[in-house]
Amino acid sequence: IREMRKPESFFRALHICYAVVVAVYFSGAYVAYAAWGSWVAGDIQFNWPLNEATLISAVLSIIWVLIEAAIANLMMLDLIEQLLSLDSPAAGSKSL
């Protein structure tokens, strides 16, 4: 973030991206529920046959959840640093 030309615009862009993702997700969920109704299981992987492709998809989903959790925690900690002004050393202090 510190290398950005306008770092203050990062969180605005991040919020816009999340809004777009949520809108696409809900529109897809609405269309799918309208087409198949309650016949569809909550998790899409439960609708697939039990084979190697489904297993690979489940493993990749778990990996993605871990990556997303790490990114979300990094963003939260960066926001806390900004709010507490921890991202810059105090005047007169020596860095190691």
Side-chain angles (χ1 to χ4, degrees), residues 53-87:
T54 305
L55 177 64
I56 291 170
S57 173
V59 169
L60 290 175
S61 293
I62 291 169
I63 291 170
W64 178 248
V65 165
L66 294 174
I67 291 170
E68 186 65 28
I71 291 171
N73 285 328
L74 178 66
M75 293 302 186
M76 180 185 62
L77 290 175
D78 187 54
L79 182 61
I80 291 171
E81 283 181 0
Q82 288 178 6
L83 293 173
L84 297 176
S85 299
L86 298 176
D87 55 347

Side-chain angles (χ1 to χ4, degrees), residues 9-25:
S9 65
F10 175 76
F11 286 104
R12 181 176 184 272
L14 182 68
H15 293 147
I16 290 171
C17 288
Y18 271 119
V20 169
V21 167
V22 167
V24 168
Y25 178 81

Side-chain angles (χ1 to χ4, degrees), residues 3-57:
E3 291 83 16
M4 293 177 65
R5 191 175 307 152
K6 292 191 296 185
E8 65 275 0
S9 65
F10 175 76
F11 286 104
R12 181 176 184 272
L14 182 68
H15 293 147
I16 290 171
C17 288
Y18 271 119
V20 169
V21 167
V22 167
V24 168
Y25 178 81
F26 279 120
S27 62
Y30 178 77
V31 169
Y33 190 77
W36 293 286
S38 60
W39 180 72
V40 177
D43 187 354
I44 192 164
Q45 293 170 345
F46 293 146
N47 295 312
W48 296 345
L50 294 176
N51 58 23
E52 291 179 14
T54 305
L55 177 64
I56 291 170
S57 173

